[in-house]
Amino acid sequence: MITEIEDFFSKGCGRCDRFATADCSTRQWAHGLNELRRICLASGLVETVKWGHPCYMHAGRNIVIIGAFRGDFRLSFFHAALMKDPEGVLEKQGPNTKHPDMIRFVDNAQVTKMEPVILSYLKEAMGYAQAGVKPPREESEIELPDELVEALDSDPELAEAFHGLTPGRKKSYAINLKSVKKSETRVSRIAKFRDHILAGKGALER
């Protein structure tokens, strides 16, 4: 993954083999991505690189992150549960996302047209960060696949490590394993995940 901000806008995030090629998603959305960058900087946010992507901070807190995909590019908000979304522009990243947290663009020209809305949403998020306001913790019961329950019951070391994970990391394993239809495939995947769990990482972390 990249560590220099300019690399994202010229080459991509470095997370796939399309990095620094004409097929990289950042090439397709270059104008829109640069407009998002301009707007974020104009709002007074501090630009950093996190997880291979441009991340913008205020008052020591992550505010938004920019991402590019084949079919769209996005401005995603951290602490999305706080956002009021008066314009109704926020969408959920996926079916397992609790709160609408991103503005999705499918046309480079959308960014400039939406600049006043984007700026107002950034200012709202920055205000929460400045005041130290955080969304209330939402505890949700994580339903584990039977194969994982059995693996934890038979492996005390694995069980201790798994129960020490954050709720988000536990959930990442539950979602990953539930996406598999065959029981034997789940068992195989759990065996591959063992070292990851012992290292305190989530299913998608490297």
Side-chain angles (χ1 to χ4, degrees), residues 114-181:
M114 290 185 66
E115 182 168 351
V117 173
I118 296 169
L119 280 170
S120 69
Y121 278 46
L122 292 176
K123 291 296 184 185
E124 179 188 349
M126 291 167 71
Y128 297 134
Q130 188 70 43
V133 177
K134 293 183 179 180
R137 293 193 64 177
E138 297 179 4
E139 298 294 340
S140 59
E141 189 68 28
I142 302 171
E143 186 178 343
L144 304 179
D146 291 341
E147 294 82 359
L148 181 55
V149 173
E150 291 173 7
L152 297 177
D153 286 344
S154 62
D155 188 338
E157 184 182 13
L158 181 65
E160 183 180 357
F162 185 83
H163 292 305
L165 296 176
T166 63
R169 289 189 170 105
K170 290 177 185 175
K171 189 175 181 179
S172 72
Y173 288 105
I175 292 172
N176 186 291
L177 294 169
K178 286 180 181 179
S179 69
V180 179
K181 292 183 178 180

Short mmCIF file of all heavy atoms in Angstrom, two decimals, residues 114-181:
data_model
loop_
_atom_site.label_atom_id
_atom_site.label_comp_id
_atom_site.label_asym_id
_atom_site.label_seq_id
_atom_site.Cartn_x
_atom_site.Cartn_y
_atom_site.Cartn_z
N MET A 114 -21.81 19.41 -6.30
CA MET A 114 -22.21 19.17 -4.91
C MET A 114 -21.32 19.86 -3.89
O MET A 114 -21.46 19.64 -2.68
CB MET A 114 -22.21 17.66 -4.63
CG MET A 114 -23.31 16.89 -5.34
SD MET A 114 -23.31 15.14 -4.84
CE MET A 114 -23.77 15.29 -3.10
N GLU A 115 -20.40 20.69 -4.35
CA GLU A 115 -19.43 21.30 -3.43
C GLU A 115 -20.05 21.95 -2.21
O GLU A 115 -19.58 21.71 -1.08
CB GLU A 115 -18.55 22.30 -4.17
CG GLU A 115 -17.49 22.92 -3.28
CD GLU A 115 -16.44 23.70 -4.05
OE1 GLU A 115 -16.41 23.63 -5.29
OE2 GLU A 115 -15.63 24.38 -3.39
N PRO A 116 -21.11 22.78 -2.34
CA PRO A 116 -21.69 23.40 -1.13
C PRO A 116 -22.20 22.36 -0.13
O PRO A 116 -22.03 22.52 1.08
CB PRO A 116 -22.84 24.24 -1.69
CG PRO A 116 -22.46 24.51 -3.11
CD PRO A 116 -21.76 23.26 -3.58
N VAL A 117 -22.82 21.28 -0.62
CA VAL A 117 -23.32 20.23 0.26
C VAL A 117 -22.17 19.50 0.94
O VAL A 117 -22.19 19.26 2.15
CB VAL A 117 -24.19 19.22 -0.54
CG1 VAL A 117 -24.58 18.04 0.35
CG2 VAL A 117 -25.42 19.90 -1.08
N ILE A 118 -21.15 19.16 0.15
CA ILE A 118 -19.99 18.46 0.71
C ILE A 118 -19.34 19.30 1.81
O ILE A 118 -19.03 18.80 2.89
CB ILE A 118 -18.97 18.14 -0.39
CG1 ILE A 118 -19.56 17.16 -1.41
CG2 ILE A 118 -17.69 17.54 0.21
CD1 ILE A 118 -18.73 16.99 -2.66
N LEU A 119 -19.15 20.58 1.54
CA LEU A 119 -18.53 21.46 2.53
C LEU A 119 -19.37 21.54 3.81
O LEU A 119 -18.82 21.51 4.92
CB LEU A 119 -18.35 22.87 1.93
CG LEU A 119 -17.14 23.06 1.03
CD1 LEU A 119 -17.23 24.41 0.32
CD2 LEU A 119 -15.84 22.95 1.81
N SER A 120 -20.68 21.60 3.67
CA SER A 120 -21.53 21.69 4.86
C SER A 120 -21.46 20.41 5.68
O SER A 120 -21.45 20.46 6.92
CB SER A 120 -22.98 22.00 4.47
OG SER A 120 -23.58 20.91 3.81
N TYR A 121 -21.37 19.25 5.01
CA TYR A 121 -21.27 17.98 5.72
C TYR A 121 -19.91 17.86 6.41
O TYR A 121 -19.82 17.36 7.53
CB TYR A 121 -21.50 16.81 4.76
CG TYR A 121 -22.95 16.50 4.48
CD1 TYR A 121 -23.86 17.52 4.18
CD2 TYR A 121 -23.43 15.21 4.51
CE1 TYR A 121 -25.19 17.26 3.92
CE2 TYR A 121 -24.77 14.92 4.25
CZ TYR A 121 -25.64 15.96 3.96
OH TYR A 121 -26.97 15.68 3.70
N LEU A 122 -18.87 18.32 5.75
CA LEU A 122 -17.54 18.30 6.36
C LEU A 122 -17.50 19.19 7.60
O LEU A 122 -16.94 18.80 8.63
CB LEU A 122 -16.48 18.76 5.35
CG LEU A 122 -16.20 17.84 4.16
CD1 LEU A 122 -15.19 18.48 3.22
CD2 LEU A 122 -15.70 16.47 4.62
N LYS A 123 -18.10 20.37 7.50
CA LYS A 123 -18.13 21.29 8.64
C LYS A 123 -18.89 20.68 9.81
O LYS A 123 -18.51 20.83 10.98
CB LYS A 123 -18.76 22.62 8.23
CG LYS A 123 -17.92 23.43 7.26
CD LYS A 123 -16.60 23.86 7.88
CE LYS A 123 -15.79 24.75 6.93
NZ LYS A 123 -14.44 25.08 7.47
N GLU A 124 -19.98 19.97 9.50
CA GLU A 124 -20.75 19.31 10.56
C GLU A 124 -19.89 18.27 11.27
O GLU A 124 -19.82 18.24 12.51
CB GLU A 124 -21.99 18.63 9.98
CG GLU A 124 -22.83 17.91 11.02
CD GLU A 124 -23.95 17.07 10.43
OE1 GLU A 124 -24.23 17.20 9.23
OE2 GLU A 124 -24.55 16.27 11.19
N ALA A 125 -19.21 17.42 10.48
CA ALA A 125 -18.37 16.37 11.05
C ALA A 125 -17.20 16.96 11.84
O ALA A 125 -16.83 16.44 12.90
CB ALA A 125 -17.86 15.45 9.94
N MET A 126 -16.63 18.04 11.32
CA MET A 126 -15.52 18.70 12.01
C MET A 126 -15.99 19.30 13.34
O MET A 126 -15.26 19.30 14.33
CB MET A 126 -14.92 19.79 11.12
CG MET A 126 -14.18 19.24 9.90
SD MET A 126 -13.79 20.53 8.67
CE MET A 126 -12.51 21.46 9.54
N GLY A 127 -17.23 19.78 13.36
CA GLY A 127 -17.78 20.35 14.59
C GLY A 127 -17.89 19.30 15.69
O GLY A 127 -17.58 19.58 16.86
N TYR A 128 -18.30 18.10 15.32
CA TYR A 128 -18.39 17.01 16.30
C TYR A 128 -17.00 16.67 16.83
O TYR A 128 -16.82 16.43 18.03
CB TYR A 128 -19.02 15.77 15.68
CG TYR A 128 -20.45 15.96 15.22
CD1 TYR A 128 -20.86 15.50 13.98
CD2 TYR A 128 -21.38 16.59 16.03
CE1 TYR A 128 -22.18 15.66 13.55
CE2 TYR A 128 -22.69 16.77 15.62
CZ TYR A 128 -23.08 16.30 14.37
OH TYR A 128 -24.38 16.48 13.96
N ALA A 129 -16.02 16.62 15.93
CA ALA A 129 -14.65 16.29 16.34
C ALA A 129 -14.10 17.36 17.28
O ALA A 129 -13.46 17.05 18.29
CB ALA A 129 -13.76 16.13 15.11
N GLN A 130 -14.34 18.63 16.93
CA GLN A 130 -13.84 19.74 17.73
C GLN A 130 -14.44 19.71 19.14
O GLN A 130 -13.76 20.00 20.13
CB GLN A 130 -14.20 21.06 17.05
CG GLN A 130 -13.57 22.29 17.69
CD GLN A 130 -12.07 22.35 17.48
OE1 GLN A 130 -11.59 22.09 16.38
NE2 GLN A 130 -11.32 22.69 18.52
N ALA A 131 -15.72 19.31 19.22
CA ALA A 131 -16.41 19.28 20.52
C ALA A 131 -16.18 17.97 21.27
O ALA A 131 -16.64 17.82 22.41
CB ALA A 131 -17.90 19.50 20.30
N GLY A 132 -15.51 17.02 20.62
CA GLY A 132 -15.26 15.73 21.26
C GLY A 132 -16.49 14.84 21.33
O GLY A 132 -16.57 13.92 22.15
N VAL A 133 -17.47 15.11 20.46
CA VAL A 133 -18.71 14.32 20.45
C VAL A 133 -18.49 13.04 19.66
O VAL A 133 -17.99 13.06 18.53
CB VAL A 133 -19.86 15.13 19.82
CG1 VAL A 133 -21.13 14.28 19.76
CG2 VAL A 133 -20.11 16.40 20.62
N LYS A 134 -18.90 11.92 20.26
CA LYS A 134 -18.80 10.63 19.58
C LYS A 134 -20.17 9.97 19.58
O LYS A 134 -20.99 10.22 20.47
CB LYS A 134 -17.79 9.73 20.28
CG LYS A 134 -16.34 10.22 20.17
CD LYS A 134 -15.38 9.24 20.82
CE LYS A 134 -13.94 9.72 20.68
NZ LYS A 134 -12.99 8.76 21.31
N PRO A 135 -20.42 9.12 18.60
CA PRO A 135 -21.72 8.42 18.58
C PRO A 135 -21.80 7.45 19.74
O PRO A 135 -20.78 6.93 20.20
CB PRO A 135 -21.71 7.68 17.23
CG PRO A 135 -20.28 7.55 16.87
CD PRO A 135 -19.59 8.75 17.44
N PRO A 136 -23.01 7.19 20.25
CA PRO A 136 -23.15 6.23 21.35
C PRO A 136 -22.74 4.84 20.90
O PRO A 136 -22.92 4.47 19.73
CB PRO A 136 -24.66 6.27 21.66
CG PRO A 136 -25.29 6.78 20.40
CD PRO A 136 -24.30 7.73 19.81
N ARG A 137 -22.16 4.09 21.80
CA ARG A 137 -21.74 2.73 21.47
C ARG A 137 -22.97 1.86 21.25
O ARG A 137 -23.93 1.89 22.01
CB ARG A 137 -20.89 2.15 22.59
CG ARG A 137 -19.55 2.84 22.75
CD ARG A 137 -18.62 2.04 23.65
NE ARG A 137 -18.30 0.75 23.06
CZ ARG A 137 -17.46 -0.12 23.61
NH1 ARG A 137 -16.89 0.16 24.76
NH2 ARG A 137 -17.22 -1.27 23.03
N GLU A 138 -22.91 1.10 20.18
CA GLU A 138 -24.04 0.22 19.86
C GLU A 138 -23.58 -1.22 19.99
O GLU A 138 -22.81 -1.72 19.17
CB GLU A 138 -24.52 0.48 18.43
CG GLU A 138 -25.05 1.89 18.24
CD GLU A 138 -25.50 2.13 16.81
OE1 GLU A 138 -25.48 1.18 16.01
OE2 GLU A 138 -25.87 3.27 16.50
N GLU A 139 -24.02 -1.85 21.05
CA GLU A 139 -23.64 -3.24 21.28
C GLU A 139 -24.63 -4.15 20.53
O GLU A 139 -25.83 -4.04 20.71
CB GLU A 139 -23.68 -3.57 22.77
CG GLU A 139 -22.70 -2.75 23.60
CD GLU A 139 -21.25 -3.06 23.29
OE1 GLU A 139 -21.00 -4.13 22.72
OE2 GLU A 139 -20.40 -2.22 23.61
N SER A 140 -24.12 -4.98 19.70
CA SER A 140 -24.99 -5.91 18.97
C SER A 140 -24.48 -7.33 19.16
O SER A 140 -23.28 -7.58 19.20
CB SER A 140 -25.03 -5.57 17.48
OG SER A 140 -23.73 -5.62 16.93
N GLU A 141 -25.40 -8.23 19.33
CA GLU A 141 -25.05 -9.63 19.52
C GLU A 141 -24.49 -10.19 18.22
O GLU A 141 -25.08 -10.03 17.16
CB GLU A 141 -26.30 -10.41 19.92
CG GLU A 141 -26.01 -11.84 20.36
CD GLU A 141 -25.23 -11.92 21.67
OE1 GLU A 141 -25.36 -11.00 22.49
OE2 GLU A 141 -24.49 -12.90 21.85
N ILE A 142 -23.32 -10.80 18.30
CA ILE A 142 -22.68 -11.37 17.11
C ILE A 142 -22.98 -12.86 17.06
O ILE A 142 -22.58 -13.62 17.95
CB ILE A 142 -21.16 -11.14 17.14
CG1 ILE A 142 -20.86 -9.64 17.22
CG2 ILE A 142 -20.50 -11.75 15.90
CD1 ILE A 142 -19.39 -9.32 17.48
N GLU A 143 -23.72 -13.27 16.06
CA GLU A 143 -24.07 -14.68 15.90
C GLU A 143 -22.97 -15.39 15.12
O GLU A 143 -22.71 -15.06 13.96
CB GLU A 143 -25.40 -14.81 15.17
CG GLU A 143 -25.91 -16.24 15.10
CD GLU A 143 -27.25 -16.35 14.42
OE1 GLU A 143 -27.94 -15.32 14.27
OE2 GLU A 143 -27.61 -17.47 14.01
N LEU A 144 -22.31 -16.33 15.78
CA LEU A 144 -21.19 -17.03 15.17
C LEU A 144 -21.65 -18.31 14.48
O LEU A 144 -22.54 -19.01 14.99
CB LEU A 144 -20.14 -17.38 16.23
CG LEU A 144 -19.58 -16.21 17.05
CD1 LEU A 144 -18.58 -16.74 18.06
CD2 LEU A 144 -18.95 -15.16 16.16
N PRO A 145 -21.05 -18.64 13.34
CA PRO A 145 -21.37 -19.90 12.67
C PRO A 145 -21.02 -21.09 13.57
O PRO A 145 -20.09 -21.02 14.38
CB PRO A 145 -20.47 -19.88 11.43
CG PRO A 145 -20.09 -18.45 11.23
CD PRO A 145 -20.06 -17.85 12.60
N ASP A 146 -21.76 -22.18 13.44
CA ASP A 146 -21.54 -23.36 14.28
C ASP A 146 -20.10 -23.86 14.19
O ASP A 146 -19.52 -24.29 15.20
CB ASP A 146 -22.50 -24.48 13.86
CG ASP A 146 -23.94 -24.15 14.20
OD1 ASP A 146 -24.16 -23.27 15.05
OD2 ASP A 146 -24.84 -24.78 13.60
N GLU A 147 -19.53 -23.81 13.00
CA GLU A 147 -18.17 -24.32 12.80
C GLU A 147 -17.16 -23.51 13.62
O GLU A 147 -16.20 -24.07 14.14
CB GLU A 147 -17.79 -24.28 11.32
CG GLU A 147 -18.59 -25.21 10.43
CD GLU A 147 -19.93 -24.64 10.02
OE1 GLU A 147 -20.26 -23.50 10.43
OE2 GLU A 147 -20.65 -25.32 9.27
N LEU A 148 -17.38 -22.22 13.72
CA LEU A 148 -16.47 -21.39 14.50
C LEU A 148 -16.66 -21.65 16.00
O LEU A 148 -15.68 -21.71 16.75
CB LEU A 148 -16.69 -19.91 14.19
CG LEU A 148 -15.80 -18.91 14.93
CD1 LEU A 148 -14.32 -19.22 14.71
CD2 LEU A 148 -16.10 -17.48 14.49
N VAL A 149 -17.90 -21.81 16.43
CA VAL A 149 -18.17 -22.13 17.84
C VAL A 149 -17.47 -23.43 18.23
O VAL A 149 -16.83 -23.52 19.29
CB VAL A 149 -19.69 -22.25 18.07
CG1 VAL A 149 -19.96 -22.76 19.50
CG2 VAL A 149 -20.38 -20.91 17.86
N GLU A 150 -17.57 -24.44 17.35
CA GLU A 150 -16.92 -25.73 17.63
C GLU A 150 -15.41 -25.60 17.67
O GLU A 150 -14.74 -26.20 18.52
CB GLU A 150 -17.33 -26.74 16.55
CG GLU A 150 -18.79 -27.15 16.62
CD GLU A 150 -19.21 -28.01 15.45
OE1 GLU A 150 -18.33 -28.40 14.66
OE2 GLU A 150 -20.42 -28.29 15.32
N ALA A 151 -14.84 -24.78 16.76
CA ALA A 151 -13.39 -24.58 16.73
C ALA A 151 -12.92 -23.89 18.01
O ALA A 151 -11.87 -24.25 18.57
CB ALA A 151 -13.01 -23.75 15.51
N LEU A 152 -13.69 -22.92 18.50
CA LEU A 152 -13.33 -22.21 19.73
C LEU A 152 -13.44 -23.13 20.94
O LEU A 152 -12.62 -23.07 21.85
CB LEU A 152 -14.23 -20.99 19.91
CG LEU A 152 -14.13 -19.90 18.82
CD1 LEU A 152 -15.14 -18.79 19.09
CD2 LEU A 152 -12.73 -19.33 18.73
N ASP A 153 -14.46 -24.00 20.95
CA ASP A 153 -14.65 -24.93 22.07
C ASP A 153 -13.51 -25.95 22.17
O ASP A 153 -13.16 -26.41 23.27
CB ASP A 153 -15.98 -25.69 21.91
CG ASP A 153 -17.18 -24.80 22.22
OD1 ASP A 153 -16.97 -23.72 22.82
OD2 ASP A 153 -18.30 -25.17 21.84
N SER A 154 -12.93 -26.29 21.02
CA SER A 154 -11.89 -27.33 21.00
C SER A 154 -10.48 -26.76 21.04
O SER A 154 -9.50 -27.51 21.09
CB SER A 154 -12.05 -28.20 19.74
OG SER A 154 -11.87 -27.42 18.58
N ASP A 155 -10.35 -25.44 21.03
CA ASP A 155 -9.03 -24.80 20.97
C ASP A 155 -9.00 -23.63 21.96
O ASP A 155 -9.32 -22.50 21.58
CB ASP A 155 -8.76 -24.33 19.54
CG ASP A 155 -7.34 -23.83 19.33
OD1 ASP A 155 -6.69 -23.44 20.32
OD2 ASP A 155 -6.88 -23.82 18.16
N PRO A 156 -8.64 -23.86 23.21
CA PRO A 156 -8.66 -22.81 24.23
C PRO A 156 -7.83 -21.57 23.86
O PRO A 156 -8.23 -20.45 24.15
CB PRO A 156 -8.06 -23.50 25.47
CG PRO A 156 -8.34 -24.96 25.24
CD PRO A 156 -8.21 -25.16 23.76
N GLU A 157 -6.67 -21.80 23.24
CA GLU A 157 -5.81 -20.67 22.86
C GLU A 157 -6.53 -19.79 21.85
O GLU A 157 -6.51 -18.55 21.93
CB GLU A 157 -4.49 -21.18 22.29
CG GLU A 157 -3.51 -20.05 21.96
CD GLU A 157 -2.22 -20.54 21.34
OE1 GLU A 157 -2.16 -21.72 20.94
OE2 GLU A 157 -1.26 -19.74 21.26
N LEU A 158 -7.16 -20.44 20.86
CA LEU A 158 -7.90 -19.70 19.84
C LEU A 158 -9.09 -18.97 20.47
O LEU A 158 -9.35 -17.80 20.13
CB LEU A 158 -8.39 -20.67 18.75
CG LEU A 158 -9.16 -20.04 17.59
CD1 LEU A 158 -8.26 -19.11 16.79
CD2 LEU A 158 -9.74 -21.13 16.68
N ALA A 159 -9.79 -19.65 21.39
CA ALA A 159 -10.95 -19.05 22.04
C ALA A 159 -10.56 -17.79 22.83
O ALA A 159 -11.23 -16.76 22.75
CB ALA A 159 -11.61 -20.06 22.97
N GLU A 160 -9.46 -17.87 23.55
CA GLU A 160 -9.00 -16.71 24.33
C GLU A 160 -8.67 -15.54 23.42
O GLU A 160 -9.03 -14.39 23.71
CB GLU A 160 -7.78 -17.10 25.16
CG GLU A 160 -7.28 -15.98 26.06
CD GLU A 160 -6.08 -16.37 26.89
OE1 GLU A 160 -5.66 -17.55 26.81
OE2 GLU A 160 -5.56 -15.51 27.61
N ALA A 161 -7.98 -15.84 22.32
CA ALA A 161 -7.60 -14.79 21.38
C ALA A 161 -8.83 -14.18 20.72
O ALA A 161 -8.94 -12.96 20.55
CB ALA A 161 -6.65 -15.35 20.32
N PHE A 162 -9.78 -15.04 20.32
CA PHE A 162 -10.97 -14.55 19.63
C PHE A 162 -11.80 -13.65 20.54
O PHE A 162 -12.25 -12.57 20.13
CB PHE A 162 -11.83 -15.72 19.14
CG PHE A 162 -13.01 -15.29 18.31
CD1 PHE A 162 -12.87 -15.00 16.96
CD2 PHE A 162 -14.27 -15.14 18.90
CE1 PHE A 162 -13.95 -14.57 16.21
CE2 PHE A 162 -15.36 -14.71 18.15
CZ PHE A 162 -15.19 -14.44 16.79
N HIS A 163 -11.99 -14.07 21.78
CA HIS A 163 -12.82 -13.28 22.69
C HIS A 163 -12.13 -11.99 23.11
O HIS A 163 -12.79 -11.08 23.64
CB HIS A 163 -13.19 -14.12 23.92
CG HIS A 163 -14.13 -15.24 23.58
ND1 HIS A 163 -15.33 -15.04 22.94
CD2 HIS A 163 -14.02 -16.58 23.77
CE1 HIS A 163 -15.94 -16.21 22.77
NE2 HIS A 163 -15.17 -17.16 23.26
N GLY A 164 -10.84 -11.89 22.83
CA GLY A 164 -10.11 -10.65 23.12
C GLY A 164 -10.17 -9.65 21.97
O GLY A 164 -9.71 -8.52 22.10
N LEU A 165 -10.74 -10.06 20.84
CA LEU A 165 -10.86 -9.17 19.68
C LEU A 165 -11.92 -8.10 19.92
O LEU A 165 -12.83 -8.26 20.73
CB LEU A 165 -11.25 -9.97 18.43
CG LEU A 165 -10.26 -11.01 17.91
CD1 LEU A 165 -10.87 -11.76 16.73
CD2 LEU A 165 -8.94 -10.36 17.49
N THR A 166 -11.80 -7.00 19.19
CA THR A 166 -12.84 -5.96 19.26
C THR A 166 -14.12 -6.51 18.61
O THR A 166 -14.06 -7.44 17.79
CB THR A 166 -12.40 -4.71 18.48
OG1 THR A 166 -12.24 -5.05 17.09
CG2 THR A 166 -11.10 -4.15 19.03
N PRO A 167 -15.28 -5.95 18.96
CA PRO A 167 -16.53 -6.40 18.34
C PRO A 167 -16.50 -6.36 16.81
O PRO A 167 -17.01 -7.25 16.15
CB PRO A 167 -17.57 -5.43 18.91
CG PRO A 167 -17.01 -5.03 20.23
CD PRO A 167 -15.53 -4.95 20.01
N GLY A 168 -15.85 -5.32 16.27
CA GLY A 168 -15.77 -5.20 14.82
C GLY A 168 -14.98 -6.32 14.17
O GLY A 168 -15.34 -6.83 13.11
N ARG A 169 -13.87 -6.72 14.84
CA ARG A 169 -13.05 -7.80 14.29
C ARG A 169 -13.78 -9.15 14.41
O ARG A 169 -13.72 -9.98 13.51
CB ARG A 169 -11.70 -7.84 15.00
CG ARG A 169 -10.80 -6.67 14.63
CD ARG A 169 -9.39 -6.85 15.17
NE ARG A 169 -8.50 -5.84 14.63
CZ ARG A 169 -8.05 -4.80 15.32
NH1 ARG A 169 -8.43 -4.63 16.58
NH2 ARG A 169 -7.23 -3.93 14.76
N LYS A 170 -14.47 -9.35 15.53
CA LYS A 170 -15.26 -10.58 15.66
C LYS A 170 -16.31 -10.65 14.55
O LYS A 170 -16.51 -11.69 13.93
CB LYS A 170 -15.96 -10.62 17.03
CG LYS A 170 -15.04 -10.82 18.21
CD LYS A 170 -15.85 -10.77 19.50
CE LYS A 170 -14.96 -10.83 20.72
NZ LYS A 170 -15.73 -10.66 21.98
N LYS A 171 -16.96 -9.53 14.33
CA LYS A 171 -18.01 -9.48 13.32
C LYS A 171 -17.46 -9.75 11.93
O LYS A 171 -18.13 -10.38 11.10
CB LYS A 171 -18.69 -8.11 13.36
CG LYS A 171 -19.93 -8.02 12.49
CD LYS A 171 -20.61 -6.68 12.67
CE LYS A 171 -21.86 -6.58 11.83
NZ LYS A 171 -22.55 -5.28 12.01
N SER A 172 -16.21 -9.31 11.68
CA SER A 172 -15.62 -9.53 10.35
C SER A 172 -15.48 -11.02 10.05
O SER A 172 -15.68 -11.46 8.91
CB SER A 172 -14.26 -8.83 10.24
OG SER A 172 -13.26 -9.49 11.02
N TYR A 173 -15.16 -11.81 11.08
CA TYR A 173 -15.05 -13.26 10.89
C TYR A 173 -16.43 -13.88 10.70
O TYR A 173 -16.61 -14.77 9.86
CB TYR A 173 -14.33 -13.91 12.07
CG TYR A 173 -12.85 -13.61 12.09
CD1 TYR A 173 -12.32 -12.71 13.01
CD2 TYR A 173 -12.00 -14.21 11.17
CE1 TYR A 173 -10.96 -12.41 13.01
CE2 TYR A 173 -10.64 -13.92 11.17
CZ TYR A 173 -10.13 -13.02 12.08
OH TYR A 173 -8.79 -12.73 12.08
N ALA A 174 -17.40 -13.42 11.47
CA ALA A 174 -18.75 -13.96 11.35
C ALA A 174 -19.31 -13.71 9.95
O ALA A 174 -19.87 -14.60 9.31
CB ALA A 174 -19.66 -13.34 12.40
N ILE A 175 -19.11 -12.48 9.45
CA ILE A 175 -19.62 -12.13 8.11
C ILE A 175 -18.89 -12.93 7.04
O ILE A 175 -19.50 -13.47 6.11
CB ILE A 175 -19.44 -10.62 7.86
CG1 ILE A 175 -20.38 -9.83 8.78
CG2 ILE A 175 -19.71 -10.28 6.40
CD1 ILE A 175 -20.15 -8.33 8.75
N ASN A 176 -17.57 -13.02 7.18
CA ASN A 176 -16.77 -13.74 6.19
C ASN A 176 -17.19 -15.20 6.10
O ASN A 176 -17.37 -15.75 5.01
CB ASN A 176 -15.29 -13.62 6.55
CG ASN A 176 -14.38 -14.21 5.51
OD1 ASN A 176 -14.35 -15.43 5.33
ND2 ASN A 176 -13.63 -13.37 4.82
N LEU A 177 -17.36 -15.84 7.24
CA LEU A 177 -17.68 -17.26 7.27
C LEU A 177 -19.12 -17.52 6.83
O LEU A 177 -19.41 -18.54 6.19
CB LEU A 177 -17.44 -17.84 8.66
CG LEU A 177 -15.96 -17.85 9.10
CD1 LEU A 177 -15.84 -18.17 10.57
CD2 LEU A 177 -15.16 -18.85 8.27
N LYS A 178 -20.03 -16.62 7.16
CA LYS A 178 -21.42 -16.80 6.77
C LYS A 178 -21.63 -16.64 5.27
O LYS A 178 -22.64 -17.08 4.72
CB LYS A 178 -22.31 -15.82 7.53
CG LYS A 178 -22.52 -16.19 8.99
CD LYS A 178 -23.40 -15.18 9.69
CE LYS A 178 -23.60 -15.53 11.15
NZ LYS A 178 -24.42 -14.54 11.86
N SER A 179 -20.65 -16.01 4.61
CA SER A 179 -20.77 -15.84 3.16
C SER A 179 -20.46 -17.14 2.42
O SER A 179 -20.67 -17.25 1.21
CB SER A 179 -19.81 -14.74 2.69
OG SER A 179 -18.45 -15.15 2.82
N VAL A 180 -19.94 -18.14 3.14
CA VAL A 180 -19.59 -19.43 2.56
C VAL A 180 -20.74 -20.42 2.77
O VAL A 180 -21.25 -20.55 3.88
CB VAL A 180 -18.30 -19.99 3.21
CG1 VAL A 180 -17.97 -21.35 2.62
CG2 VAL A 180 -17.15 -19.02 3.00
N LYS A 181 -21.14 -21.12 1.73
CA LYS A 181 -22.30 -22.03 1.83
C LYS A 181 -21.93 -23.39 2.43
O LYS A 181 -22.67 -23.95 3.23
CB LYS A 181 -22.92 -22.23 0.44
CG LYS A 181 -23.58 -20.97 -0.13
CD LYS A 181 -24.24 -21.25 -1.46
CE LYS A 181 -24.93 -20.01 -2.00
NZ LYS A 181 -25.58 -20.26 -3.30
#
